[in-house]
Amino acid sequence: MKKIKKLCISAILIFVISFCYKNCFAADYQITDYKIHVKIMEDASLHVEEYIEYDFDSSMNGLFRDILYSYQFFGQKDNMKATSSRYQASQISNIEAYYSDTGFDHLRLALQKDESYLFNGMNGYFSVEDYVDNGYRTKIKLYSPVSSGNKKYVKYVYDIEDVTVLYQNACELYWNFIGGDWECSIQNLEIKIDFEGLNSMQGVLVYPHSYSSFETKIVDDSIYITADYLPASRALDARIVFPRVSTFYSSKNVEQNYDFDELDQIETKMNFDKIKYHISNVVFVVIFIVGVIFFIVVIIASVKVSSKGRKKKKELAYFRDIPEKYSLDMYHLMLGSSNTYSSNSLFLATLLDLVNKKYILMNAKKKEKKGLMDKIDYEYFMELNKEADYSKLTKYEILILNFLFNEKAEFGINIAEFKNTSIELNEQLKELTKKHSLSNKLIFKYKMLDSDKEDKIYDKAPKWLKRFSLITGLILGGLLFINLFFVSPLNFDLKMENFGIWLFIYIIYFILNISFAFSAKSLKKEYLEEAEKLSGLEKYLKEYSLIKDRYPIEIHLWEKYLVFASLFGIADKVSKEIKEELIKDGYSEDSIYINYPVYSMAIHSTYISSSISSSTGTSSSGGSSGGGSGGGGRWWPVAVVLFNINLLKHYNLCYKF
């Protein structure tokens, strides 16, 4: 049951991580206030002033500001749609950058320098670079260090040239002011748009677009688009149509009247797309929730199938005798373990059992440590007992003997033909680690044994559970596909981007769902009584420290208990308990290890299990790893990206470094 809980927790974590994939590298700063003042000039350019207030959670050297002013792609058309070639600018010019640590009232002008003369740690300089990357861009790199927990106030001034389009009876601006690639939210946004050479707002039409909430109003000959909160990855653009006056001129002239009927059709469709976008998001959430519910149903059903006929842990009585009706591998299978024969605990338990039964003669010898990090305290010298009757061994036991002493993965045994009849366990496991082909063959043999024994003592998962997991998984997959490609209004590139994320989530879900359903198995009735005794023994050994005073253990049982403690994966814990008893009886630590070599192996079971894992190519039951690296002075692309999530057109970037 504990294993099921761990799997459930792991599955939920995978779902959460997958669902939040796009936010895994969230920004370590906030934009608390962002004001954009755009003036539409008579020469068809835009004069832009941006005021950005940052609140940082980490230290950095400065900021990037990346402006995509001309987005171009194969097959791009000259029409009234948002991705039209006519709405692209020609360049960014007249760039200025200002900075302050205390407020917009204390802004200082940064000096422009060539990037080759600038380095991290400098303050009050910026560089400008033009480059091509999925369109024509201008990058502003502002050097102005900031410490964690502080604010930064930045003002950018620049002109975007050749933006406004002139028709015979009207002018039009379509520009993306805020884009969908921002990795942080904007707490307060205000976009102000006004005109040079236009004395009245009569006849001005404003069509803002965003999948977030915003307000639009016209006050004192200016257009205001405001949002109290704009989440990360949300875009905001606007189309503005206004009367043509004689003072306006542009290189972008369309020799025809503006088509207001087509405008209505395009804007109607974009409004409908906004509705579809919200519906699509709701459907995604519903599918996700339903998927989790189905998954929980499969887990609960699988647990019920697996626990069919078994008593709960609290209902089990202590069992203090040694189960001897079946072999160790059969008992290990009764525990409900998966990949039974490739289990390190079974390997170690079998090895200890072979020593107890005198098929293997073993002596433990204390080892001189070669260094402080040397973890091997004892050497285990083993030799085959040539007088033992090996015909009584199970296939698994013969396989282990062949592997250790004969360096082969075979079920046949002829001691006289073995490559080795004596080994030192630690050194032999090191040597076997190098033989990858042998490990692969051993795993293949494990699978043969697994399939034979598991079918013998377990009933397979019921057909209804398999069908339920398959059908629900396929239905959810189909709904995801339909919602993404037929309901969602995103363009193809963004659909494919989201498809990759949802496909990853779905594959994880489907594999886990099927794995639980198809691996659910119930122990056959004839094995239930013996399985109950086995679980009672496990309970007894796990709680030995609480009950040893009431149930004294006879010395001759210790080594047998350690075999099953190894099978349960608690050999090190039980060994410590037994060690206390032996010390009370006057044994020294060295005499315990020498006189009870099985005990010595048991207390070092964690390390030996790890060595077994390395040499056999199987998974270990424990262990941990970690690592990391760090450095300074790198430019980190983090911040403000103005990108239209719906239309994939002009966007501006702002990064930190």
Side-chain angles (χ1 to χ4, degrees):
M1 196 66 183
K2 185 182 292 186
K3 187 176 181 180
I4 294 294
K5 290 179 180 179
K6 289 181 178 179
L7 286 172
C8 292
I9 293 172
S10 300
I12 293 171
L13 286 174
I14 290 172
F15 280 134
V16 172
I17 293 171
S18 302
F19 192 69
C20 301
Y21 176 81
K22 292 186 74 174
N23 296 319
C24 283
F25 303 100
D28 48 4
Y29 68 95
Q30 295 292 326
I31 296 179
T32 53
D33 192 71
Y34 191 6
K35 289 183 171 59
I36 306 174
H37 183 193
V38 178
K39 192 165 190 176
I40 303 174
M41 309 301 289
E42 292 180 340
D43 63 356
S45 67
L46 300 182
H47 180 71
V48 182
E49 295 181 3
E50 297 182 357
Y51 298 83
I52 310 174
E53 179 183 330
Y54 295 96
D55 193 351
F56 293 101
D57 297 328
S58 64
S59 300
M60 64 194 66
N61 292 300
L63 299 164
F64 280 135
R65 186 74 173 84
D66 197 340
I67 307 169
L68 174 63
Y69 57 84
S70 181
Y71 174 70
Q72 299 177 2
F73 59 91
F74 179 77
Q76 189 176 34
K77 296 181 180 180
D78 180 14
N79 53 26
M80 292 176 60
K81 292 184 178 180
T83 53
S84 170
S85 60
R86 72 177 61 169
Y87 300 134
Q88 312 302 315
S90 63
Q91 66 176 339
I92 305 295
S93 61
N94 303 323
I95 299 172
E96 295 178 354
Y98 300 80
Y99 65 97
S100 172
D101 295 331
T102 55
F104 291 114
D105 294 334
H106 304 95
L107 289 171
R108 288 176 286 179
L109 176 65
L111 301 178
Q112 184 175 348
K113 289 272 190 181
D114 187 272
E115 177 64 21
S116 60
Y117 294 100
L118 300 175
F119 54 86
N120 291 344
M122 296 184 71
N123 189 27
Y125 297 93
F126 75 95
S127 64
V128 176
E129 175 190 0
D130 290 318
Y131 68 102
V132 177
D133 181 11
N134 195 32
Y136 295 89
R137 304 171 182 270
T138 293
K139 179 186 290 183
I140 308 169
K141 194 172 183 181
L142 175 62
Y143 287 77
S144 183
V146 63
S147 301
S148 176
N150 291 345
K151 291 181 176 290
K152 181 69 71 175
Y153 301 85
V154 178
K155 175 184 177 182
Y156 292 107
V157 180
Y158 54 89
D159 292 332
I160 308 173
E161 299 187 8
D162 299 317
V163 185
T164 305
V165 182
L166 269 61
Y167 298 82
Q168 290 185 349
N169 62 336
C171 297
E172 182 188 35
L173 168 72
Y174 199 126
W175 193 254
N176 196 43
F177 300 99
I178 300 292
D181 267 5
W182 290 31
E183 56 181 19
C184 75
S185 59
I186 301 172
Q187 300 299 321
N188 182 52
L189 172 67
E190 177 186 280
I191 302 173
K192 178 184 177 183
I193 306 166
D194 52 27
F195 302 84
E196 179 189 42
L198 193 65
N199 300 320
S200 172
M201 297 298 287
Q202 185 174 359
V204 175
L205 303 175
V206 184
Y207 298 93
H209 315 102
S210 178
Y211 292 146
S212 295
S213 299
F214 62 90
E215 293 184 0
T216 305
K217 58 185 177 181
I218 298 176
V219 180
D220 297 331
D221 297 333
S222 295
I223 302 168
Y224 289 88
I225 304 173
T226 59
D228 293 332
Y229 176 75
L230 197 68
S233 302
R234 292 294 174 90
L236 194 157
D237 66 15
R239 183 200 302 267
I240 302 172
V241 183
F242 52 97
R244 177 170 180 172
V245 295
S246 58
T247 55
F248 276 86
Y249 60 94
S250 173
S251 61
K252 294 181 179 180
N253 288 282
V254 179
E255 299 299 327
Q256 63 184 38
N257 287 333
Y258 192 79
D259 193 337
F260 287 93
D261 291 335
E262 184 176 356
L263 172 66
D264 289 339
Q265 293 176 6
I266 292 173
E267 291 299 327
T268 299
K269 183 181 182 305
M270 293 183 74
N271 287 332
F272 182 63
D273 283 346
K274 182 176 181 179
I275 296 173
K276 288 173 61 179
Y277 175 82
H278 290 298
I279 292 174
S280 176
N281 283 347
V282 171
V283 173
F284 276 133
V285 173
V286 171
I287 291 174
F288 185 83
I289 293 173
V290 171
V292 171
I293 293 173
F294 282 159
F295 184 58
I296 293 173
V297 170
V298 168
I299 291 176
I300 293 173
S302 300
V303 171
K304 286 185 176 180
V305 169
S306 300
S307 58
K308 182 180 178 182
R310 294 177 183 263
K311 288 184 178 181
K312 295 180 180 179
K313 183 178 179 180
K314 62 182 180 181
E315 298 174 349
L316 287 171
Y318 294 124
F319 187 76
R320 294 180 288 120
D321 296 327
I322 303 297
E324 296 180 342
K325 186 175 182 179
Y326 299 108
S327 60
L328 279 178
D329 54 320
M330 289 283 282
Y331 283 123
H332 192 58
L333 200 58
M334 289 179 193
L335 293 172
S337 305
S338 58
N339 300 321
T340 306
Y341 291 94
S342 59
S343 166
N344 297 336
S345 59
L346 176 59
F347 192 109
L348 181 59
T350 302
L351 192 58
L352 294 179
D353 194 45
L354 290 171
V355 173
N356 283 343
K357 293 177 180 178
K358 305 303 181 183
Y359 287 101
I360 297 176
L361 305 177
M362 183 177 72
N363 289 309
K365 181 180 179 182
K366 192 168 185 178
K367 181 181 178 182
E368 295 275 345
K369 288 191 176 184
K370 297 179 180 180
L372 293 175
M373 301 305 294
D374 192 349
K375 295 183 179 180
I376 302 176
D377 294 317
Y378 286 83
E379 294 174 310
Y380 305 102
F381 295 96
M382 299 182 168
E383 61 178 303
L384 292 172
N385 185 357
K386 297 179 181 179
E387 298 179 1
D389 183 3
Y390 291 93
S391 63
K392 297 180 180 180
L393 297 181
T394 65
K395 284 187 176 182
Y396 180 75
E397 291 169 330
I398 294 172
L399 188 63
I400 296 305
L401 289 178
N402 266 294
F403 177 72
L404 286 176
F405 289 88
N406 205 21
E407 298 180 21
K408 292 182 179 180
E410 296 179 352
F411 292 125
I413 188 165
N414 186 346
I415 300 300
E417 297 178 358
F418 266 32
K419 182 177 180 179
N420 305 300
T421 55
S422 62
I423 60 171
E424 196 286 307
L425 180 63
N426 296 308
E427 292 300 321
Q428 182 69 344
L429 289 174
K430 284 183 181 179
E431 288 298 316
L432 292 173
T433 302
K434 305 172 185 177
K435 302 180 183 294
H436 300 295
S437 59
L438 176 61
S439 298
N440 293 335
K441 190 174 181 181
L442 184 67
I443 292 172
F444 176 75
K445 297 289 186 178
Y446 284 157
K447 291 180 179 179
M448 292 176 57
L449 292 174
D450 271 328
S451 58
D452 291 342
K453 289 285 180 69
E454 190 168 352
D455 291 342
K456 181 179 178 181
I457 68 173
Y458 279 100
D459 289 322
K460 294 182 178 179
K463 291 182 178 180
W464 70 265
L465 181 57
K466 295 179 180 178
R467 290 173 181 171
F468 177 81
S469 64
L470 277 172
I471 293 173
T472 55
L474 292 174
I475 289 175
L476 290 176
L479 291 175
L480 276 174
F481 183 85
I482 292 171
N483 189 46
L484 181 59
F485 288 98
F486 294 96
V487 179
S488 173
L490 300 180
N491 64 29
F492 182 76
D493 289 339
L494 290 174
K495 284 182 178 181
M496 291 307 297
E497 178 185 332
N498 287 325
F499 176 71
I501 297 169
W502 280 108
L503 181 63
F504 173 75
I505 297 173
Y506 176 71
I507 289 174
I508 296 296
Y509 163 79
F510 193 80
I511 290 174
L512 289 173
N513 200 35
I514 295 300
S515 297
F516 271 102
F518 279 68
S519 62
K521 56 191 178 184
S522 56
L523 200 63
K524 292 181 179 179
K525 290 182 180 179
E526 56 266 36
Y527 297 98
L528 285 172
E529 182 180 351
E530 199 68 17
E532 183 179 328
K533 293 179 181 178
L534 184 68
S535 298
L537 177 62
E538 182 180 12
K539 181 179 180 180
Y540 174 67
L541 292 178
K542 283 184 175 180
E543 300 179 16
Y544 170 69
S545 60
L546 301 176
I547 60 177
K548 60 187 177 183
D549 294 334
R550 287 181 289 166
Y551 302 100
I553 299 177
E554 298 178 26
I555 294 178
H556 75 277
L557 288 177
W558 284 346
E559 292 181 339
K560 292 183 179 181
Y561 277 141
L562 288 174
V563 170
F564 280 90
S566 298
L567 193 69
F568 302 141
I570 56 172
D572 52 347
K573 175 182 180 296
V574 175
S575 296
K576 292 175 183 177
E577 300 287 352
I578 295 176
K579 178 182 176 181
E580 292 179 5
E581 298 297 309
L582 288 170
I583 290 177
K584 287 179 181 178
D585 290 340
Y587 286 86
S588 66
E589 287 197 15
D590 285 347
S591 62
I592 292 172
Y593 291 144
I594 301 301
N595 291 307
Y596 298 96
V598 170
Y599 168 81
S600 176
M601 282 187 64
I603 203 166
H604 296 113
S605 60
T606 301
Y607 177 75
I608 295 174
S609 181
S610 177
S611 299
I612 291 170
S613 177
S614 299
S615 61
T616 61
T618 60
S619 60
S620 177
S621 59
S624 61
S625 63
S629 61
R634 290 192 297 172
W635 293 83
W636 290 91
V638 179
V640 186
V641 184
L642 296 171
F643 172 78
N644 187 351
I645 196 172
N646 180 31
L647 304 171
L648 197 63
K649 61 188 299 281
H650 326 289
Y651 64 76
N652 304 324
L653 299 166
C654 185
Y655 293 123
K656 72 159 189 168
F657 64 93

